[in-house]
Structure formats: C-alpha cells, structure tokens
C-alpha cells in the first residue's frame, strides 16, 4: 500500500492497493478529486510508480523506505521538470520543499537515499539494482547530481 504524502504530519494524498492473484498482478489507485493541479500530478506520478513497480515484480523485495523513497524520487523528478514553466513554478517549488523537508523514515529519508543512490547512475541502472536486490545501491562518492535546486536543504 503506497500513500503519497504520508508521514508523521502529512495527509494521505493517494493510495495504491496491490494484489497478486490467480489472474496476475492488479492495482487500484485511489485519489481525492480536489487536489491542486501540481499536487495532483505529483501524487499521480508517485502512485503510478507504485503500480509500475508492482506490475513489474519489484514490490515483494523492497522495504517501505526503498519503495516510498523511489516513488518520491519520481515525483521529485516530475516536479523539477516544472521549474522552468512560470505557470507552475511556485507550486512545484512548494511541493519540492515538502518532499525535501519530510523527516519520515520511509518518505523523506527514503527520498534522500534514493537521490544519493541515483547520482552517477542511469535510472535503468538504479532500477536494475533495486529489482535484483530489493535495496538501493551504495552511493557513488562525488558523482554528479542530476537535479540542482535552490530549495534543497541538502548540500
């Protein structure tokens, strides 16, 4: 069960229910209908990542920190892509700050571990490692960062 936005002091913005049965893997994504556009988009990206991971056989091997961290990573990337669009920049920045400052062990710490593990790797390499091991790879020291943002609380 993925719940985008969850954490000690957060509202649940979306939920992905996953089931594997005799007809294969199935997912159901639940979303409220009243979210602002950028929040809705970030939540859809997060929940669709849960669905994709489940449908591709990842979910059974990952801890909540790895799964939620990776799902937040995809939201982070999507939100970062909005920073050059004046229509969405301010809202995207606010959502990025929320992700960045989240202290929850699965969602916040998981995001920062996923970001660190992604540095110096392709997304395919990161996914391959997660699928094989159920864990994030060890960060590459001094690897280039893909996303630079002025809002980040990390150096």
């Amino acid at each position: 069960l993925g719940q985008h936005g969850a954490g000690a002091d957060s509202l649940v913005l979306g939920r992905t229910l996953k089931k594997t049965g005799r007809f294969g893997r199935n997912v159901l994504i639940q979303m409220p209908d009243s979210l602002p556009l950028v929040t809705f988009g970030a939540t859809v990206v997060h929940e669709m990542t849960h669905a994709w991971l489940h449908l591709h056989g990842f979910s059974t091997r990952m801890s909540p920190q790895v799964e939620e961290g990776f799902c937040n990573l995809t939201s982070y990337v999507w939100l970062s892509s909005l920073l050059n669009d004046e229509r969405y920049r301010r809202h995207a920045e606010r959502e990025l700050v929320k992700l960045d400052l989240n202290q929850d062990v699965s969602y916040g710490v998981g995001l920062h571990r996923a970001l660190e593990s992604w540095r110096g790797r392709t997304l395919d390499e990161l996914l391959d490692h997660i699928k094989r091991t159920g864990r994030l790879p060890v960060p590459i020291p001094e690897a280039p960062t893909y996303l630079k943002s002025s809002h980040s609380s990390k150096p």
Side-chain angles (χ1 to χ4, degrees):
L1 174 70
Q3 299 180 349
H4 179 63
D9 59 352
S10 299
L11 296 173
V12 174
L13 301 179
R15 184 185 330 226
T16 303
L17 306 170
K18 301 174 277 191
K19 182 178 181 184
T20 302
R22 67 178 206 205
F23 298 111
R25 294 183 175 101
N26 298 289
V27 294
L28 170 67
I29 296 174
Q30 298 175 328
M31 301 276 302
D33 61 3
S34 59
L35 294 174
L37 183 61
V38 172
T39 304
F40 179 82
T43 304
V44 167
V45 169
H46 179 100
E47 299 305 331
M48 288 298 292
T49 302
H50 278 295
W52 189 91
L53 291 169
H54 177 70
L55 293 172
H56 288 85
F58 282 73
S59 299
T60 59
R61 301 199 59 181
M62 291 183 289
S63 69
Q65 185 180 74
V66 172
E67 184 168 357
E68 297 302 344
F70 185 78
C71 292
N72 270 357
L73 172 66
T74 61
S75 288
Y76 195 94
V77 170
W78 183 78
L79 287 163
S80 295
S81 76
L82 299 179
L83 294 177
N84 292 326
D85 189 326
E86 287 301 318
R87 295 171 296 173
Y88 307 116
R89 170 180 283 167
R90 283 186 24 221
H91 194 163
E93 286 174 341
R94 283 194 303 268
E95 292 298 317
L96 283 164
V97 167
K98 284 190 226 174
L99 285 173
D100 200 36
L101 297 179
N102 188 326
Q103 297 298 307
D104 181 81
V105 71
S106 294
Y107 293 84
V109 175
L111 167 64
H112 287 287
R113 288 192 175 160
L115 282 166
E116 290 166 5
S117 294
W118 183 35
R119 282 190 192 112
R121 293 183 171 89
T122 65
L123 193 56
D124 285 341
E125 290 168 336
L126 182 61
L127 282 167
D128 180 59
H129 185 89
I130 294 170
K131 188 164 191 176
R132 281 186 294 105
T133 67
R135 296 187 307 260
L136 292 166
V138 174
I140 299 172
E142 300 180 30
T145 301
Y146 292 109
L147 301 172
K148 295 273 188 197
S149 61
S150 59
H151 66 272
S152 179
S153 65
K154 298 283 186 183

